[in-house]
C-alpha cells in the first residue's frame, strides 16, 4: 500500500470536532492549546461546544480544521507513524494545503494558525456580503462548466473554482453571474445546479485583495522544504521548493482548486491509498470517483487512529 495523506477544506467543520482526540491524547490537547495561544482565542472551546454559526465563520473554520488535522498528525507521529515514512505525497483542499504543509514541517503550527486567521478574514473582506456567490454544477465536465461560466460572465466574474471530481465542479464569482450560470447550466445537461451556503466567492478573481494580503503575510514567515512533496492545488503537481510553495499559496487564493487532477497525479505516480487526516470524510469520499483503483480512509478520532496503527 503506497499512501498519500490529504487534508480537508472548509465545509468539513462540525461542533465537537477534535474533542474525542483531546480527551484521549495529551498531544492532541497540546495542539489545540498551541493554536488557542497563537490566536489569543479559545478556539478549541468553539470547536468542542459551538455554536455552529460562529465556528462556520471563515476566520474560525480555517484554523479550526487545520488544528484537528494537526492533532491527528501529531498523535500518529507519536505512535511511530511519521508522515515522511508513511506517505510519499501530501495534499490539501484549499485551506487544507496549509494543514498539509504544517504536517510535513514546512510551516510551524503557530504560524499556520495565524496565516489561516489572516486568510479567512481577508477572504471574507474581499467582497461585500451578498455581492458574490458560489454554485455547484453536478453532472457537467470541467470543460462544460468552464463554458457555462464563460457564457454567464457577461462582463462580471464567473469562473470554475473547484474541480472536485468527475461531474462535480464549483463555480465562483459575482452573484448576478452565478445566477445566470445556474440557469444556463440547466439547459446544458447539468443534473443539478445549486447555490452553496458560503459567505464569499472563493477561488476566483474577486479574491484579488485577499491574495495581496496573503502575499504580505506569507513574506514574513519561514517556509521549509517539506519532508515529502506537496501536490499543489493550483498546479496539480508536486512541489518542494519553499519559495515556489510561497508563491503558489498566494496564487491559490484566486486560482482554481484542481483537486481531481491532483488526485489523478498522485494515482499515476504510485499512490494506491488516500488517508484523510482531520474532520469529516469528504476527500476520502471523492477518491474512488476520481480513480477507480484508489482506496481511501479518514482518520478523525481515537478509534480511527487505533485501526490505522494496526494496518501500517
Amino acid at each position: 500500500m503506497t499512501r498519500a495523506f490529504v487534508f480537508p477544506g472548509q465545509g468539513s467543520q462540525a461542533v465537537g470536532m477534535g474533542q474525542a482526540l483531546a480527551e484521549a491524547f495529551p498531544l492532541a490537547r497540546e495542539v489545540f492549546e498551541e493554536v488557542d495561544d497563537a490566536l489569543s482565542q479559545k478556539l478549541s472551546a468553539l470547536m468542542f461546544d459551538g455554536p455552529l454559526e460562529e465556528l462556520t465563520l471563515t476566520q474560525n473554520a480555517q484554523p479550526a480544521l487545520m488544528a484537528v488535522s494537526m492533532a491527528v498528525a501529531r498523535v500518529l507521529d507519536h505512535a511511530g507513524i511519521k508522515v515522511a515514512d508513511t506517505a510519499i505525497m501530501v495534499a490539501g483542499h484549499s485551506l487544507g494545503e496549509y494543514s498539509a504543509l504544517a504536517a510535513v514541517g514546512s510551516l510551524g503550527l503557530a504560524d499556520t494558525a495565524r496565516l489561516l486567521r489572516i486568510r479567512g478574514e481577508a477572504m471574507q473582506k474581499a467582497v461585500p456580503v451578498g455581492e458574490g456567490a458560489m454554485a455547484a454544477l453536478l453532472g457537467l465536465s470541467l470543460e462544460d462548466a468552464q463554458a457555462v461560466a464563460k457564457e454567464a460572465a457577461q462582463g462580471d466574474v464567473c469562473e470554475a473554482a473547484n474541480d472536485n471530481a468527475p461531474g462535480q465542479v464549483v463555480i465562483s464569482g459575482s452573484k448576478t453571474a452565478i445566477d445566470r450560470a445556474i440557469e444556463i447550466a440547466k439547459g446544458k445537461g447539468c443534473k443539478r445546479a445549486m447555490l452553496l451556503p458560503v459567505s464569499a466567492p472563493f477561488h476566483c478573481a474577486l479574491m484579488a485583495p485577499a491574495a495581496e494580503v496573503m502575499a504580505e503575510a506569507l513574506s514574513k514567515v519561514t517556509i521549509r522544504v517539506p519532508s515529502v512533496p506537496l501536490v499543489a492545488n493550483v498546479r496539480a503537481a508536486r512541489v518542494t521548493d519553499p519559495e515556489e510553495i510561497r508563491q503558489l499559496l498566494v496564487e491559490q487564493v484566486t486560482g482554481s482548486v484542481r483537486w481531481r487532477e491532483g488526485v489523478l497525479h498522485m494515482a499515476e505516480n504510485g499512490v494506491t491509498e488516500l488517508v484523510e487526516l482531520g474532520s469529516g470524510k469528504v476527500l476520502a469520499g471523492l477518491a474512488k470517483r476520481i480513480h477507480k483503483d484508489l482506496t481511501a480512509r479518514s482518520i478523525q478520532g481515537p478509534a480511527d487512529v487505533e485501526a490505522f496503527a494496526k494496518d501500517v
Side-chain angles (χ1 to χ4, degrees):
M1 191 73 73
T2 306
R3 298 178 174 93
F5 285 169
V6 295
F7 298 82
Q10 207 159 329
S12 290
Q13 67 276 0
V15 172
M17 60 194 286
Q19 189 163 12
L21 279 172
E23 291 170 353
F25 302 107
L27 271 174
R29 289 198 297 276
E30 289 175 16
V31 169
F32 298 142
E33 288 165 4
E34 191 175 340
V35 170
D36 287 350
D37 290 345
L39 299 178
S40 300
Q41 175 196 6
K42 198 69 174 169
L43 184 64
S44 57
L46 183 59
M47 291 157 56
F48 299 163
D49 303 320
L52 181 61
E53 297 75 25
E54 192 174 343
L55 176 61
T56 301
L57 293 174
T58 303
Q59 64 265 31
N60 291 327
Q62 294 200 17
L65 285 160
M66 181 278 298
V68 178
S69 289
M70 279 305 296
V72 173
R74 287 264 184 99
V75 168
L76 290 176
D77 185 84
H78 185 68
I81 304 169
K82 300 184 182 300
V83 176
D85 298 332
T86 315
I88 62 167
M89 299 175 215
V90 295
H93 193 286
S94 191
L95 81 91
E97 195 153 88
Y98 286 79
S99 308
L101 288 166
V104 293
S106 282
L107 288 170
L109 179 59
D111 278 344
T112 309
R114 287 188 286 264
L115 284 168
L116 286 172
R117 168 57 49 81
I118 292 167
R119 184 177 183 268
E121 290 176 343
M123 292 171 91
Q124 190 60 64
K125 290 175 183 173
V127 180
V129 174
E131 291 189 13
M134 299 181 77
L137 304 183
L138 305 182
L140 292 184
S141 67
L142 174 62
E143 293 74 20
D144 287 343
Q146 289 171 330
V148 166
K150 184 176 181 180
E151 184 179 339
Q154 297 177 25
D156 293 325
V157 171
C158 189
E159 301 169 8
N162 300 345
D163 178 16
N164 288 329
Q168 188 186 125
V169 180
V170 174
I171 57 172
S172 182
S174 308
K175 176 68 164 61
T176 51
I178 296 297
D179 287 341
R180 286 193 294 268
I182 287 173
E183 292 309 310
I184 292 168
K186 290 174 183 175
K188 303 276 188 183
C190 184
K191 293 178 183 175
R192 192 174 177 200
M194 56 188 177
L195 284 172
L196 297 178
V198 296
S199 55
F202 305 129
H203 297 292
C204 74
L206 294 175
M207 288 288 111
E212 292 179 12
V213 171
M214 290 313 297
E216 173 70 15
L218 285 159
S219 73
K220 298 175 181 177
V221 301
T222 299
I223 299 179
R224 302 170 190 84
V225 176
S227 58
V228 298
L230 171 78
V231 179
N233 283 180
V234 295
R235 189 169 291 175
R238 286 161 290 179
V239 292
T240 56
D241 178 72
E243 292 312 309
E244 200 172 4
I245 289 169
R246 195 187 312 272
Q247 182 56 38
L248 292 174
L249 287 174
V250 176
E251 292 178 21
Q252 186 223 58
V253 179
T254 55
S256 180
V257 176
R258 296 167 60 187
W259 189 254
R260 176 184 59 84
E261 292 176 87
V263 171
L264 287 174
H265 175 83
M266 290 186 261
E268 289 161 4
N269 286 276
V271 171
T272 57
E273 181 179 53
L274 295 189
V275 183
E276 182 172 7
L277 306 190
S279 183
K281 300 180 179 180
V282 171
L283 302 182
L286 292 175
K288 190 70 90 173
R289 292 180 55 189
I290 296 171
H291 195 288
K292 63 180 176 61
D293 295 331
L294 277 176
T295 60
R297 67 166 83 199
S298 64
I299 304 179
Q300 304 186 63
D304 301 325
V305 171
E306 186 178 339
F308 187 56
K310 289 178 180 176
D311 288 347
V312 174

